[in-house]
């Protein structure tokens, strides 16, 4: 028999789909955390290509741990009633853990490895136990217990990397992140229980869409911080003023391209999908890549505003050109998730950026950033021309047609 007291923890149908003030408060930590990610990448651009790639790998592992923390919290507040005191306690506790991770992140591969890992594991291990306890004997309590079991497996390489030889830290933490993401993608399967794939979850689609839009805006907010802090800390010159203005315009173009049509329809697509969990899982992966593109672009801003003159360092183009290219590629996938098609303007913009990349080493960084802004402006203009005078296109996601339509977990 279903435990009624435990069932109160689940989000009811009449619950507000909008993000709560606590969730918005929680997101403030990630504004700070994303600036720490950018800082690590900027500090890694001064060496060789090999050094840069190694730093991208290290920073990527740390970012993925933060993303997993944010993403699972988002699914928790979409599955469970965020006004319940237990869920509020879980969110605040996760917030503190994320704050510790963000503080430790710039030196997480050096002397602050233990702080970063212990904060991460405290959230990943304690959070599911609290939720499982609050659910009492409700059938859904098997899901947080699955998360706990997989977090225990992932804790082994996390802790070994933190206390072991420094040269083994990166491969061990890559393994740890792989275990954690494998659990999410496979549905945290356990012997005799099988998986509980997120494709079968009954979710609050409008709430989930709201949260993905907000993490995108948080990443844009991080670029605004980078633009402002870098320009305010440098000597005011005409070149730097031009780079400052171009960076701001580029950020505005990223916002415009994201929210054009598809960016407004994720909630509708999740609402009409027979398998909203499948579409939500796919959208989560897409937004991960979108945020990576925006963060990489922010690193490019800092480099260009600080050094607008001279020839462009080839490694800088990984961020100045690579960031917007990653964003366009992920935004094209997002469009496919919503409409089942991809606009030619996004493909054309991506190809132009990739083809222009090698030639931009011959021009100053300021000119390289300006050309990137021109390409993005072309994509945004094509969007506006295509939609002018036409009715809004309804969501027709090809990813939400599978599943049973019931949105329930398999029997425990």
């Amino acid at each position: 028999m279903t435990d009624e007291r435990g069932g109160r923890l689940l989000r009811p149908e009449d619950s507000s789909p909008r993000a709560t003030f606590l969730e918005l408060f929680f997101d403030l930590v990630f504004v700070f955390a994303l600036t720490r990610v950018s800082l690590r990448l900027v500090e890694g651009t001064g060496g060789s290509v090999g050094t840069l790639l190694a730093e991208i790998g290290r920073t990527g592992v740390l970012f993925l741990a933060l993303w997993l923390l944010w993403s699972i919290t988002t699914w928790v507040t979409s599955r469970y009633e965020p006004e319940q005191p237990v869920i509020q306690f879980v969110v605040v506790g996760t917030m503190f853990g994320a704050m510790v991770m963000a503080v430790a992140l710039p030196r997480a591969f050096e002397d602050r490895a233990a702080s970063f890992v212990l904060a991460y594991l405290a959230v990943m291990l304690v959070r599911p136990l609290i939720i499982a306890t609050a659910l009492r004997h409700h059938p859904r309590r098997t899901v947080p217990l699955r998360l706990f079991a997989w977090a225990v497996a992932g804790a082994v390489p996390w802790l070994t990397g933190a206390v072991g030889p420094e040269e083994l830290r990166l491969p061990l933490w890559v393994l740890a992140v792989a275990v954690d993401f494998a659990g999410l993608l496979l549905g945290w399967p356990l012997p005799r229980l099988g998986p509980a794939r997120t494709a079968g979850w009954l979710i609050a689609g409008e709430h989930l869409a709201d949260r993905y839009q907000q993490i995108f805006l948080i990443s844009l907010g991080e670029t605004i911080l980078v633009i402002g802090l870098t320009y305010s800390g440098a000597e005011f010159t005409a070149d730097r003023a031009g780079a400052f203005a171009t960076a701001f315009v580029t950020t505005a173009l990223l916002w415009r391209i994201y929210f054009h049509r598809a960016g407004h329809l994720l909630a509708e697509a999740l609402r009409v999908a027979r398998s909203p969990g499948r579409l939500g899982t796919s959208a989560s992966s897409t937004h991960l890549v979108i945020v990576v593109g925006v963060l990489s672009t922010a690193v490019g801003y800092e480099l260009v505003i600080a050094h607008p003159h001279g020839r462009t360092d080839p490694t800088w183009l990984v961020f100045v050109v690579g960031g917007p290219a990653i964003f366009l590629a992920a935004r094209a996938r997002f469009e496919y998730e919503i409409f089942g098609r991809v606009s030619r303007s996004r493909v054309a913009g991506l190809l132009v950026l990739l083809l222009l990349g090698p030639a931009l080493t011959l021009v100053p960084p300021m000119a390289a950033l300006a050309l990137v802004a021109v390409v993005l402006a072309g994509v945004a203009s094509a969007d506006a021309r295509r939609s002018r005078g036409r009715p809004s296109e309804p969501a027709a996601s090809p990813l939400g047609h599978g599943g049973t339509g019931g949105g329930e977990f398999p029997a425990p």
Side-chain angles (χ1 to χ4, degrees):
M1 183 174 179
T2 300
D3 189 302
E4 293 185 2
R5 294 181 62 184
R8 294 172 188 169
L9 205 64
L10 300 176
R11 178 186 280 269
E13 292 185 4
D14 59 351
S15 176
S16 171
R18 308 298 298 181
T20 64
F21 291 120
L22 177 60
E23 290 173 280
L24 299 177
F25 181 42
F26 170 77
D27 286 345
L28 293 178
V29 170
F30 282 83
V31 176
F32 171 68
L34 295 183
T35 62
R36 301 301 89 188
V37 173
S38 296
L39 175 64
R40 274 200 70 107
L41 289 173
V42 169
E43 292 177 347
T45 58
S48 64
V49 174
T51 301
L52 175 62
L53 293 177
E55 188 53 50
I56 289 175
R58 287 190 289 266
T59 306
V61 168
L62 303 177
F63 168 73
L64 288 175
L66 281 169
W67 177 267
L68 197 62
L69 212 66
W70 181 90
S71 185
I72 292 181
T73 303
T74 295
W75 282 85
V76 165
T77 53
S78 183
R79 285 290 301 155
Y80 304 106
E81 175 53 61
E83 296 299 334
Q84 286 285 341
V86 171
I87 300 303
Q88 292 180 341
F89 177 80
V90 165
V91 172
V92 172
T94 302
M95 182 179 178
F96 181 73
M99 189 70 179
V100 174
M101 291 170 64
V103 170
L105 192 144
R107 297 190 58 80
F109 272 88
E110 292 80 32
D111 56 311
R112 296 180 182 173
S115 298
F116 184 90
V117 167
L118 290 176
Y120 175 75
L121 291 180
V123 174
M124 297 297 284
L125 293 169
V126 175
R127 175 171 58 187
L129 288 180
I130 293 175
I131 294 176
T133 301
L135 285 170
R136 298 176 178 268
H137 300 292
H138 195 282
R140 302 293 170 84
R141 75 190 299 266
T142 61
V143 176
L145 291 177
R146 293 169 187 270
L147 269 70
F148 173 77
W150 274 78
V152 170
V156 176
W158 276 118
L159 290 172
T160 305
V163 302
E166 192 168 319
E167 60 271 17
L168 295 179
R169 189 161 295 157
L170 179 58
L172 285 169
W173 284 5
V174 168
L175 174 61
V177 167
V179 170
D180 290 342
F181 271 88
L184 176 62
L185 294 175
L186 298 176
W188 306 284
L190 291 179
R192 299 173 60 184
L193 292 179
R197 299 183 189 276
T198 53
W201 286 26
L202 180 64
I203 59 174
E206 187 174 344
H207 175 268
L208 200 63
D210 214 25
R211 299 298 289 136
Y212 289 146
Q213 291 165 350
Q214 285 159 5
I215 194 63
F216 170 70
L217 291 173
I218 288 169
S219 66
L220 287 187
E222 191 273 340
T223 69
I224 296 296
L225 278 177
V226 167
I227 293 169
L229 291 174
T230 305
Y231 186 56
S232 64
E235 181 182 355
F236 282 19
T237 63
D239 286 343
R240 288 197 176 97
F244 167 77
T246 304
F248 181 83
V249 169
T250 303
T251 295
L253 289 168
L254 296 178
W255 166 82
R256 178 70 176 82
I257 292 169
Y258 173 86
F259 278 106
H260 179 76
R261 294 289 173 94
H264 286 290
L265 292 178
L266 179 57
E268 179 188 340
L270 287 166
R271 179 175 55 81
V272 301
R274 289 186 60 204
S275 179
R278 182 183 177 199
L279 176 57
T281 303
S282 179
S284 176
S285 300
T286 300
H287 280 77
L288 165 62
V289 182
I290 286 175
V291 171
V292 167
V294 174
L295 292 181
S296 300
T297 304
V299 174
Y301 293 161
E302 184 162 354
L303 295 170
V304 173
I305 294 173
H307 310 283
H309 305 290
R311 291 185 60 179
T312 302
D313 188 322
T315 61
W316 293 8
L317 295 179
V318 172
F319 306 106
V320 177
V321 178
I326 291 170
F327 170 81
L328 281 181
R331 180 55 178 77
R333 173 181 165 83
F334 184 41
E335 188 173 35
Y336 176 78
E337 290 170 336
I338 302 301
F339 298 121
R341 59 159 178 80
V342 176
S343 300
R344 285 176 292 182
S345 61
R346 280 157 182 61
V347 178
L350 177 59
L351 290 175
V352 170
L353 286 177
L354 295 177
L355 293 173
L356 273 180
L360 294 182
T361 58
L362 304 176
V363 301
M366 170 59 204
L369 181 60
L371 287 171
V372 169
V374 168
V375 173
L376 293 177
V379 174
S381 297
D383 286 345
R385 286 195 304 270
R386 187 175 59 254
S387 61
R388 186 180 295 120
R390 296 182 179 179
S392 297
E393 184 178 359
S397 173
L399 301 181
H401 296 321
T404 62
E408 300 295 335
F409 288 113

PDB file of all heavy atoms in Angstrom, residues 23 26 30 67-79 87 90-91 94-95 123 127 207 211:
ATOM      1  N   GLU A  23      14.790  28.332  -5.467  1.00  0.00           N
ATOM      2  CA  GLU A  23      15.559  27.848  -6.613  1.00  0.00           C
ATOM      3  C   GLU A  23      16.350  28.977  -7.268  1.00  0.00           C
ATOM      4  O   GLU A  23      17.490  28.781  -7.704  1.00  0.00           O
ATOM      5  CB  GLU A  23      14.612  27.190  -7.626  1.00  0.00           C
ATOM      6  CG  GLU A  23      14.028  25.874  -7.132  1.00  0.00           C
ATOM      7  CD  GLU A  23      12.973  25.352  -8.072  1.00  0.00           C
ATOM      8  OE1 GLU A  23      11.822  25.830  -8.008  1.00  0.00           O
ATOM      9  OE2 GLU A  23      13.287  24.457  -8.878  1.00  0.00           O
ATOM     10  N   PHE A  26      19.219  29.552  -5.105  1.00  0.00           N
ATOM     11  CA  PHE A  26      20.174  28.478  -5.365  1.00  0.00           C
ATOM     12  C   PHE A  26      21.031  28.792  -6.600  1.00  0.00           C
ATOM     13  O   PHE A  26      22.239  28.554  -6.619  1.00  0.00           O
ATOM     14  CB  PHE A  26      19.387  27.180  -5.549  1.00  0.00           C
ATOM     15  CG  PHE A  26      20.186  26.018  -6.059  1.00  0.00           C
ATOM     16  CD1 PHE A  26      21.031  25.313  -5.220  1.00  0.00           C
ATOM     17  CD2 PHE A  26      20.076  25.599  -7.378  1.00  0.00           C
ATOM     18  CE1 PHE A  26      21.762  24.222  -5.682  1.00  0.00           C
ATOM     19  CE2 PHE A  26      20.797  24.516  -7.850  1.00  0.00           C
ATOM     20  CZ  PHE A  26      21.647  23.825  -6.997  1.00  0.00           C
ATOM     21  N   PHE A  30      25.638  29.491  -8.662  1.00  0.00           N
ATOM     22  CA  PHE A  30      26.201  29.064  -9.940  1.00  0.00           C
ATOM     23  C   PHE A  30      26.676  30.231 -10.795  1.00  0.00           C
ATOM     24  O   PHE A  30      27.502  30.042 -11.687  1.00  0.00           O
ATOM     25  CB  PHE A  30      25.198  28.176 -10.680  1.00  0.00           C
ATOM     26  CG  PHE A  30      25.175  26.790 -10.121  1.00  0.00           C
ATOM     27  CD1 PHE A  30      24.422  26.501  -8.992  1.00  0.00           C
ATOM     28  CD2 PHE A  30      25.939  25.780 -10.671  1.00  0.00           C
ATOM     29  CE1 PHE A  30      24.428  25.240  -8.433  1.00  0.00           C
ATOM     30  CE2 PHE A  30      25.958  24.511 -10.127  1.00  0.00           C
ATOM     31  CZ  PHE A  30      25.200  24.237  -9.003  1.00  0.00           C
ATOM     32  N   TRP A  67      27.764  20.722 -13.018  1.00  0.00           N
ATOM     33  CA  TRP A  67      26.553  20.576 -13.823  1.00  0.00           C
ATOM     34  C   TRP A  67      25.684  19.433 -13.300  1.00  0.00           C
ATOM     35  O   TRP A  67      24.453  19.567 -13.240  1.00  0.00           O
ATOM     36  CB  TRP A  67      26.915  20.331 -15.285  1.00  0.00           C
ATOM     37  CG  TRP A  67      25.705  20.109 -16.133  1.00  0.00           C
ATOM     38  CD1 TRP A  67      25.132  18.905 -16.459  1.00  0.00           C
ATOM     39  CD2 TRP A  67      24.877  21.111 -16.726  1.00  0.00           C
ATOM     40  NE1 TRP A  67      24.010  19.101 -17.237  1.00  0.00           N
ATOM     41  CE2 TRP A  67      23.826  20.435 -17.413  1.00  0.00           C
ATOM     42  CE3 TRP A  67      24.930  22.500 -16.758  1.00  0.00           C
ATOM     43  CZ2 TRP A  67      22.840  21.141 -18.110  1.00  0.00           C
ATOM     44  CZ3 TRP A  67      23.945  23.185 -17.457  1.00  0.00           C
ATOM     45  CH2 TRP A  67      22.918  22.507 -18.115  1.00  0.00           C
ATOM     46  N   LEU A  68      26.288  18.320 -12.946  1.00  0.00           N
ATOM     47  CA  LEU A  68      25.522  17.189 -12.436  1.00  0.00           C
ATOM     48  C   LEU A  68      24.802  17.572 -11.150  1.00  0.00           C
ATOM     49  O   LEU A  68      23.641  17.191 -10.927  1.00  0.00           O
ATOM     50  CB  LEU A  68      26.444  15.996 -12.197  1.00  0.00           C
ATOM     51  CG  LEU A  68      25.776  14.630 -12.055  1.00  0.00           C
ATOM     52  CD1 LEU A  68      25.028  14.262 -13.327  1.00  0.00           C
ATOM     53  CD2 LEU A  68      26.799  13.564 -11.725  1.00  0.00           C
ATOM     54  N   LEU A  69      25.476  18.353 -10.301  1.00  0.00           N
ATOM     55  CA  LEU A  69      24.861  18.812  -9.060  1.00  0.00           C
ATOM     56  C   LEU A  69      23.631  19.669  -9.361  1.00  0.00           C
ATOM     57  O   LEU A  69      22.559  19.468  -8.787  1.00  0.00           O
ATOM     58  CB  LEU A  69      25.889  19.624  -8.257  1.00  0.00           C
ATOM     59  CG  LEU A  69      25.790  19.559  -6.736  1.00  0.00           C
ATOM     60  CD1 LEU A  69      26.099  18.163  -6.247  1.00  0.00           C
ATOM     61  CD2 LEU A  69      26.768  20.555  -6.121  1.00  0.00           C
ATOM     62  N   TRP A  70      23.793  20.629 -10.285  1.00  0.00           N
ATOM     63  CA  TRP A  70      22.671  21.509 -10.646  1.00  0.00           C
ATOM     64  C   TRP A  70      21.559  20.717 -11.328  1.00  0.00           C
ATOM     65  O   TRP A  70      20.371  20.893 -11.027  1.00  0.00           O
ATOM     66  CB  TRP A  70      23.158  22.625 -11.567  1.00  0.00           C
ATOM     67  CG  TRP A  70      22.067  23.577 -11.944  1.00  0.00           C
ATOM     68  CD1 TRP A  70      21.702  24.713 -11.286  1.00  0.00           C
ATOM     69  CD2 TRP A  70      21.164  23.456 -13.066  1.00  0.00           C
ATOM     70  NE1 TRP A  70      20.627  25.306 -11.917  1.00  0.00           N
ATOM     71  CE2 TRP A  70      20.278  24.558 -13.015  1.00  0.00           C
ATOM     72  CE3 TRP A  70      21.019  22.535 -14.092  1.00  0.00           C
ATOM     73  CZ2 TRP A  70      19.274  24.754 -13.954  1.00  0.00           C
ATOM     74  CZ3 TRP A  70      20.010  22.725 -15.032  1.00  0.00           C
ATOM     75  CH2 TRP A  70      19.155  23.827 -14.967  1.00  0.00           C
ATOM     76  N   SER A  71      21.926  19.847 -12.255  1.00  0.00           N
ATOM     77  CA  SER A  71      20.941  19.130 -13.052  1.00  0.00           C
ATOM     78  C   SER A  71      20.077  18.208 -12.195  1.00  0.00           C
ATOM     79  O   SER A  71      18.841  18.188 -12.331  1.00  0.00           O
ATOM     80  CB  SER A  71      21.659  18.316 -14.139  1.00  0.00           C
ATOM     81  OG  SER A  71      20.742  17.693 -14.995  1.00  0.00           O
ATOM     82  N   ILE A  72      20.695  17.445 -11.299  1.00  0.00           N
ATOM     83  CA  ILE A  72      19.904  16.533 -10.463  1.00  0.00           C
ATOM     84  C   ILE A  72      19.020  17.324  -9.502  1.00  0.00           C
ATOM     85  O   ILE A  72      17.877  16.935  -9.228  1.00  0.00           O
ATOM     86  CB  ILE A  72      20.829  15.555  -9.711  1.00  0.00           C
ATOM     87  CG1 ILE A  72      21.483  14.590 -10.707  1.00  0.00           C
ATOM     88  CG2 ILE A  72      20.047  14.777  -8.662  1.00  0.00           C
ATOM     89  CD1 ILE A  72      22.389  13.562 -10.080  1.00  0.00           C
ATOM     90  N   THR A  73      19.514  18.464  -9.005  1.00  0.00           N
ATOM     91  CA  THR A  73      18.678  19.316  -8.157  1.00  0.00           C
ATOM     92  C   THR A  73      17.463  19.801  -8.924  1.00  0.00           C
ATOM     93  O   THR A  73      16.348  19.869  -8.392  1.00  0.00           O
ATOM     94  CB  THR A  73      19.490  20.519  -7.642  1.00  0.00           C
ATOM     95  OG1 THR A  73      20.638  20.050  -6.936  1.00  0.00           O
ATOM     96  CG2 THR A  73      18.656  21.383  -6.708  1.00  0.00           C
ATOM     97  N   THR A  74      17.646  20.136 -10.201  1.00  0.00           N
ATOM     98  CA  THR A  74      16.533  20.580 -11.039  1.00  0.00           C
ATOM     99  C   THR A  74      15.501  19.476 -11.212  1.00  0.00           C
ATOM    100  O   THR A  74      14.287  19.714 -11.131  1.00  0.00           O
ATOM    101  CB  THR A  74      17.062  21.036 -12.408  1.00  0.00           C
ATOM    102  OG1 THR A  74      17.876  22.197 -12.222  1.00  0.00           O
ATOM    103  CG2 THR A  74      15.924  21.371 -13.360  1.00  0.00           C
ATOM    104  N   TRP A  75      15.974  18.238 -11.433  1.00  0.00           N
ATOM    105  CA  TRP A  75      15.035  17.117 -11.556  1.00  0.00           C
ATOM    106  C   TRP A  75      14.347  16.836 -10.217  1.00  0.00           C
ATOM    107  O   TRP A  75      13.173  16.460 -10.187  1.00  0.00           O
ATOM    108  CB  TRP A  75      15.768  15.874 -12.048  1.00  0.00           C
ATOM    109  CG  TRP A  75      16.039  15.910 -13.520  1.00  0.00           C
ATOM    110  CD1 TRP A  75      17.101  16.494 -14.141  1.00  0.00           C
ATOM    111  CD2 TRP A  75      15.224  15.369 -14.559  1.00  0.00           C
ATOM    112  NE1 TRP A  75      17.004  16.333 -15.499  1.00  0.00           N
ATOM    113  CE2 TRP A  75      15.872  15.643 -15.788  1.00  0.00           C
ATOM    114  CE3 TRP A  75      14.031  14.662 -14.569  1.00  0.00           C
ATOM    115  CZ2 TRP A  75      15.345  15.248 -17.020  1.00  0.00           C
ATOM    116  CZ3 TRP A  75      13.519  14.259 -15.798  1.00  0.00           C
ATOM    117  CH2 TRP A  75      14.168  14.557 -17.006  1.00  0.00           C
ATOM    118  N   VAL A  76      15.053  17.043  -9.110  1.00  0.00           N
ATOM    119  CA  VAL A  76      14.443  16.834  -7.795  1.00  0.00           C
ATOM    120  C   VAL A  76      13.297  17.813  -7.582  1.00  0.00           C
ATOM    121  O   VAL A  76      12.197  17.426  -7.163  1.00  0.00           O
ATOM    122  CB  VAL A  76      15.509  16.992  -6.687  1.00  0.00           C
ATOM    123  CG1 VAL A  76      14.839  17.154  -5.314  1.00  0.00           C
ATOM    124  CG2 VAL A  76      16.435  15.794  -6.662  1.00  0.00           C
ATOM    125  N   THR A  77      13.522  19.101  -7.873  1.00  0.00           N
ATOM    126  CA  THR A  77      12.469  20.091  -7.658  1.00  0.00           C
ATOM    127  C   THR A  77      11.374  19.997  -8.711  1.00  0.00           C
ATOM    128  O   THR A  77      10.302  20.591  -8.543  1.00  0.00           O
ATOM    129  CB  THR A  77      13.059  21.515  -7.643  1.00  0.00           C
ATOM    130  OG1 THR A  77      13.838  21.738  -8.838  1.00  0.00           O
ATOM    131  CG2 THR A  77      13.943  21.714  -6.431  1.00  0.00           C
ATOM    132  N   SER A  78      11.620  19.264  -9.800  1.00  0.00           N
ATOM    133  CA  SER A  78      10.576  19.020 -10.784  1.00  0.00           C
ATOM    134  C   SER A  78       9.737  17.800 -10.396  1.00  0.00           C
ATOM    135  O   SER A  78       8.546  17.734 -10.719  1.00  0.00           O
ATOM    136  CB  SER A  78      11.196  18.799 -12.173  1.00  0.00           C
ATOM    137  OG  SER A  78      10.199  18.625 -13.164  1.00  0.00           O
ATOM    138  N   ARG A  79      10.354  16.844  -9.701  1.00  0.00           N
ATOM    139  CA  ARG A  79       9.652  15.624  -9.274  1.00  0.00           C
ATOM    140  C   ARG A  79       8.977  15.803  -7.926  1.00  0.00           C
ATOM    141  O   ARG A  79       7.929  15.203  -7.664  1.00  0.00           O
ATOM    142  CB  ARG A  79      10.646  14.461  -9.175  1.00  0.00           C
ATOM    143  CG  ARG A  79      11.080  13.887 -10.501  1.00  0.00           C
ATOM    144  CD  ARG A  79       9.976  13.137 -11.175  1.00  0.00           C
ATOM    145  NE  ARG A  79       9.495  12.032 -10.349  1.00  0.00           N
ATOM    146  CZ  ARG A  79       8.286  11.519 -10.452  1.00  0.00           C
ATOM    147  NH1 ARG A  79       7.429  12.020 -11.287  1.00  0.00           N
ATOM    148  NH2 ARG A  79       7.926  10.511  -9.688  1.00  0.00           N
ATOM    149  N   ILE A  87      12.483  19.167   1.087  1.00  0.00           N
ATOM    150  CA  ILE A  87      13.075  19.532  -0.195  1.00  0.00           C
ATOM    151  C   ILE A  87      13.810  20.861  -0.077  1.00  0.00           C
ATOM    152  O   ILE A  87      14.889  21.045  -0.657  1.00  0.00           O
ATOM    153  CB  ILE A  87      12.002  19.583  -1.290  1.00  0.00           C
ATOM    154  CG1 ILE A  87      11.335  18.207  -1.430  1.00  0.00           C
ATOM    155  CG2 ILE A  87      12.596  20.005  -2.626  1.00  0.00           C
ATOM    156  CD1 ILE A  87      12.295  17.076  -1.735  1.00  0.00           C
ATOM    157  N   VAL A  90      17.077  20.152   1.450  1.00  0.00           N
ATOM    158  CA  VAL A  90      17.962  19.516   0.473  1.00  0.00           C
ATOM    159  C   VAL A  90      18.546  20.556  -0.478  1.00  0.00           C
ATOM    160  O   VAL A  90      19.742  20.535  -0.786  1.00  0.00           O
ATOM    161  CB  VAL A  90      17.192  18.434  -0.308  1.00  0.00           C
ATOM    162  CG1 VAL A  90      17.952  18.015  -1.560  1.00  0.00           C
ATOM    163  CG2 VAL A  90      16.951  17.217   0.577  1.00  0.00           C
ATOM    164  N   VAL A  91      17.726  21.485  -0.949  1.00  0.00           N
ATOM    165  CA  VAL A  91      18.197  22.508  -1.888  1.00  0.00           C
ATOM    166  C   VAL A  91      19.221  23.430  -1.224  1.00  0.00           C
ATOM    167  O   VAL A  91      20.266  23.739  -1.811  1.00  0.00           O
ATOM    168  CB  VAL A  91      17.006  23.317  -2.448  1.00  0.00           C
ATOM    169  CG1 VAL A  91      17.507  24.499  -3.279  1.00  0.00           C
ATOM    170  CG2 VAL A  91      16.117  22.420  -3.307  1.00  0.00           C
ATOM    171  N   THR A  94      22.440  21.527  -0.793  1.00  0.00           N
ATOM    172  CA  THR A  94      23.125  21.422  -2.080  1.00  0.00           C
ATOM    173  C   THR A  94      23.775  22.741  -2.453  1.00  0.00           C
ATOM    174  O   THR A  94      24.883  22.783  -2.998  1.00  0.00           O
ATOM    175  CB  THR A  94      22.128  21.005  -3.175  1.00  0.00           C
ATOM    176  OG1 THR A  94      21.520  19.766  -2.809  1.00  0.00           O
ATOM    177  CG2 THR A  94      22.816  20.854  -4.517  1.00  0.00           C
ATOM    178  N   MET A  95      23.090  23.813  -2.139  1.00  0.00           N
ATOM    179  CA  MET A  95      23.617  25.152  -2.417  1.00  0.00           C
ATOM    180  C   MET A  95      24.935  25.389  -1.680  1.00  0.00           C
ATOM    181  O   MET A  95      25.908  25.892  -2.263  1.00  0.00           O
ATOM    182  CB  MET A  95      22.573  26.191  -1.989  1.00  0.00           C
ATOM    183  CG  MET A  95      22.927  27.625  -2.254  1.00  0.00           C
ATOM    184  SD  MET A  95      21.560  28.686  -1.696  1.00  0.00           S
ATOM    185  CE  MET A  95      22.248  30.301  -2.074  1.00  0.00           C
ATOM    186  N   VAL A 123      26.965  16.064  -0.957  1.00  0.00           N
ATOM    187  CA  VAL A 123      25.669  16.291  -1.596  1.00  0.00           C
ATOM    188  C   VAL A 123      25.162  15.022  -2.269  1.00  0.00           C
ATOM    189  O   VAL A 123      24.008  14.608  -2.088  1.00  0.00           O
ATOM    190  CB  VAL A 123      25.764  17.436  -2.626  1.00  0.00           C
ATOM    191  CG1 VAL A 123      24.453  17.572  -3.399  1.00  0.00           C
ATOM    192  CG2 VAL A 123      26.103  18.749  -1.937  1.00  0.00           C
ATOM    193  N   ARG A 127      22.037  13.664   0.016  1.00  0.00           N
ATOM    194  CA  ARG A 127      20.760  14.116  -0.550  1.00  0.00           C
ATOM    195  C   ARG A 127      19.804  12.954  -0.841  1.00  0.00           C
ATOM    196  O   ARG A 127      18.633  13.002  -0.419  1.00  0.00           O
ATOM    197  CB  ARG A 127      21.018  14.947  -1.810  1.00  0.00           C
ATOM    198  CG  ARG A 127      19.746  15.364  -2.541  1.00  0.00           C
ATOM    199  CD  ARG A 127      20.031  16.355  -3.647  1.00  0.00           C
ATOM    200  NE  ARG A 127      20.975  15.838  -4.621  1.00  0.00           N
ATOM    201  CZ  ARG A 127      21.491  16.568  -5.616  1.00  0.00           C
ATOM    202  NH1 ARG A 127      21.147  17.845  -5.721  1.00  0.00           N
ATOM    203  NH2 ARG A 127      22.337  16.038  -6.466  1.00  0.00           N
ATOM    204  N   HIS A 207       8.038  23.648 -15.453  1.00  0.00           N
ATOM    205  CA  HIS A 207       9.061  23.923 -14.454  1.00  0.00           C
ATOM    206  C   HIS A 207      10.443  23.563 -14.980  1.00  0.00           C
ATOM    207  O   HIS A 207      11.402  24.331 -14.836  1.00  0.00           O
ATOM    208  CB  HIS A 207       8.758  23.128 -13.178  1.00  0.00           C
ATOM    209  CG  HIS A 207       9.814  23.258 -12.122  1.00  0.00           C
ATOM    210  ND1 HIS A 207      10.879  22.379 -12.018  1.00  0.00           N
ATOM    211  CD2 HIS A 207       9.992  24.172 -11.142  1.00  0.00           C
ATOM    212  CE1 HIS A 207      11.633  22.738 -11.016  1.00  0.00           C
ATOM    213  NE2 HIS A 207      11.135  23.821 -10.463  1.00  0.00           N
ATOM    214  N   ARG A 211      13.698  26.044 -15.717  1.00  0.00           N
ATOM    215  CA  ARG A 211      15.009  25.887 -15.101  1.00  0.00           C
ATOM    216  C   ARG A 211      16.118  25.880 -16.164  1.00  0.00           C
ATOM    217  O   ARG A 211      17.197  26.447 -15.960  1.00  0.00           O
ATOM    218  CB  ARG A 211      15.049  24.597 -14.285  1.00  0.00           C
ATOM    219  CG  ARG A 211      14.049  24.550 -13.155  1.00  0.00           C
ATOM    220  CD  ARG A 211      14.312  25.652 -12.126  1.00  0.00           C
ATOM    221  NE  ARG A 211      15.521  25.362 -11.353  1.00  0.00           N
ATOM    222  CZ  ARG A 211      16.449  26.255 -11.052  1.00  0.00           C
ATOM    223  NH1 ARG A 211      16.365  27.479 -11.507  1.00  0.00           N
ATOM    224  NH2 ARG A 211      17.491  25.900 -10.330  1.00  0.00           N
TER     225      ARG A 211
END
